[in-house]
Amino acid sequence: MERLEVEISWPTPRSAFICPSVFGRRGAGREEKWLAHTEFYVRETRVLMLRRLTLTTRNGALPTGGSQAWASWALVVNSARTAAAAVVSLIVARLFRLPEAYWAPITTLVITQSSLGAALSVSCERFMGTVLGAAVGAIVASSFGPNMLIFGVGVFILGLLSAAANSNRNAFRFAGVTLAIVQLVPRVGSPWRIALHRFAEVCIGLVVALILSVVWPEQQEVR
């Protein structure tokens, strides 16, 4: 935690507050009293400004040190790395002629923001959640259609299944998203085919992100 020390110079000359036309010769006492109050408030304002500036720097809102974080080379490389992964996953999904190929780069963008170890963990949870959500979504969509009550029951069932599979809340979250996409979004075609497409799109995004994490690891930004 860095602390920025700044000296704020705010001169308060007596001539700035003395106005003979207002106080007159007989108002010297009132003039001195008013001037003392004014100087007190000026001092308090200086202290408040210093405190706010210190807290803002402490929280990272202001750059400290000689380098700017946005201009660091690691940030440029990681941005190019993420962009390349997103484009590759979109190209692969379109090569397989998937109807909603954009889900592949969305998945890749989520995974590539983590290190290799974290990417493996998130990928496993997203894969498990997608499998559960696609299966439950295909079953309820083919049997009941886009029914709100059935959708709520499906989310409840996914929570139980995620716990039974020893998965954390990330898997439950991904499963719920997949269920909503398969069951609630109106499409023409079999729900099982829609679920399969969703599963394939997510898997492509996962594979591309994991390959990128191995061949092009994320660089640590120096702060």
Side-chain angles (χ1 to χ4, degrees), residues 92-159:
V92 174
R94 287 184 174 179
L95 288 177
F96 282 94
R97 299 183 180 276
L98 295 173
E100 296 177 334
Y102 53 84
W103 283 113
I106 289 176
T107 303
T108 301
L109 289 172
V110 173
I111 304 302
T112 52
Q113 302 306 311
S114 307
S115 60
L116 179 58
L120 289 173
S121 176
V122 175
S123 298
C124 292
E125 299 298 336
R126 191 170 184 85
F127 178 81
M128 179 63 67
T130 302
V131 170
L132 293 177
V136 174
I139 293 174
V140 298
S142 59
S143 302
F144 305 98
N147 186 286
M148 290 188 294
L149 179 60
I150 300 301
F151 171 72
V153 174
V155 173
F156 174 74
I157 293 175
L158 285 176

Side-chain angles (χ1 to χ4, degrees), residues 3-210:
R3 183 183 178 125
L4 180 63
E5 296 293 343
V6 178
E7 181 180 355
I8 298 178
S9 178
W10 193 346
T12 56
R14 296 174 62 88
S15 59
F17 303 104
I18 299 177
C19 183
S21 62
V22 176
F23 294 103
R25 295 180 178 179
R26 298 181 180 180
R30 288 185 298 167
E31 173 188 333
E32 293 296 335
K33 185 177 180 181
W34 181 79
L35 184 58
H37 281 291
T38 303
E39 291 179 347
F40 170 77
Y41 287 125
V42 169
R43 288 196 302 270
E44 290 297 313
T45 304
R46 292 176 185 170
V47 173
L48 289 175
M49 290 180 64
L50 283 172
R51 288 178 179 175
R52 175 170 291 186
L53 188 58
T54 302
L55 289 175
T56 304
T57 307
R58 214 180 261 178
N59 293 332
L62 293 178
T64 57
S67 62
Q68 299 269 348
W70 58 268
S72 64
W73 176 248
L75 180 61
V76 174
V77 173
N78 288 331
S79 299
R81 170 181 176 271
T82 303
V87 172
V88 169
S89 61
L90 180 60
I91 292 174
V92 174
R94 287 184 174 179
L95 288 177
F96 282 94
R97 299 183 180 276
L98 295 173
E100 296 177 334
Y102 53 84
W103 283 113
I106 289 176
T107 303
T108 301
L109 289 172
V110 173
I111 304 302
T112 52
Q113 302 306 311
S114 307
S115 60
L116 179 58
L120 289 173
S121 176
V122 175
S123 298
C124 292
E125 299 298 336
R126 191 170 184 85
F127 178 81
M128 179 63 67
T130 302
V131 170
L132 293 177
V136 174
I139 293 174
V140 298
S142 59
S143 302
F144 305 98
N147 186 286
M148 290 188 294
L149 179 60
I150 300 301
F151 171 72
V153 174
V155 173
F156 174 74
I157 293 175
L158 285 176
L160 300 180
L161 293 176
S162 300
N166 292 326
S167 299
N168 58 23
R169 292 185 178 181
N170 287 329
F172 183 27
R173 184 183 303 115
F174 297 140
V177 171
T178 304
L179 172 65
I181 293 172
V182 174
Q183 183 184 2
L184 301 181
V185 178
R187 297 183 183 87
V188 178
S190 171
W192 286 100
R193 185 176 181 180
I194 296 171
L196 180 61
H197 287 164
R198 166 69 175 164
F199 174 76
E201 291 152 4
V202 171
C203 286
I204 290 175
L206 292 177
V207 171
V208 172
L210 290 178

